[in-house]
Amino acid sequence: MGSEMCIRDRSLDMGTKRGLEATPIIDNGIMFVSSTWSVVHAVDAKTGKELWVYDPDVPRSWARKVCCDVVNRGVAVWEGQVYFGTIDGRLISLDAKTGKNIWEINTLIDSDKDYTITGAPRVANGKVYIGNGGADMGGVRGYVSAYNLSLIHISEPTRLLSIAYGGVGLEKKRGGGGGGG
């Protein structure tokens, strides 16, 4: 008998047959991954046991605003919270241990336009950054918003920065596209 390696296969039923594009993040032994419709899963990285699932209940009509399916490309984890964007433009913070919603905010500068979020947020320098897009379907230009985590009140986070390109939004700029979303 030759050298053999036994690898225990594990899988997680994400409850969908649609596109999955998120890169999982592991923090303190918990793997966080987002799936279609901006649903977030927390999994014990050692055992594979699902710990919690959070569904932000994105309206299914929002699918018409995205070009490439109702994907979500990931979460950010920082100081016990999981941050993610939803296809309908919300930025949400969850308790990493319980999956309980801590706060959420609508990041859209114009809810009548076809803005979406499919990209993962980033956390740096005490702020959470999220990019909004929509040029692929709605002809809008993307933008990035940043929220100061030390100023966020549970009921409504404070928008610190919002930059838009091409004449859309709070500040006009020339050049490049949106903020990855």
Side-chain angles (χ1 to χ4, degrees), residues 103-172:
W103 56 258
E104 68 180 73
I105 187 168
N106 183 344
T107 69
L108 301 181
I109 59 174
D110 186 344
S111 58
D112 292 330
K113 305 274 187 194
D114 288 342
Y115 288 107
T116 60
I117 298 175
T118 59
R122 304 290 189 258
V123 177
N125 299 320
K127 298 173 186 72
V128 60
Y129 299 83
I130 192 68
N132 294 64
D136 42 8
M137 295 296 285
V140 297
R141 299 299 302 259
Y143 59 94
V144 175
S145 297
Y147 299 87
N148 187 328
L149 296 174
S150 67
L151 298 177
I152 290 177
H153 301 288
I154 298 297
S155 61
E156 184 177 351
T158 304
R159 181 180 299 211
L160 281 188
L161 166 73
S162 187
I163 300 173
Y165 296 96
V168 177
L170 303 176
E171 183 179 330
K172 293 184 180 181

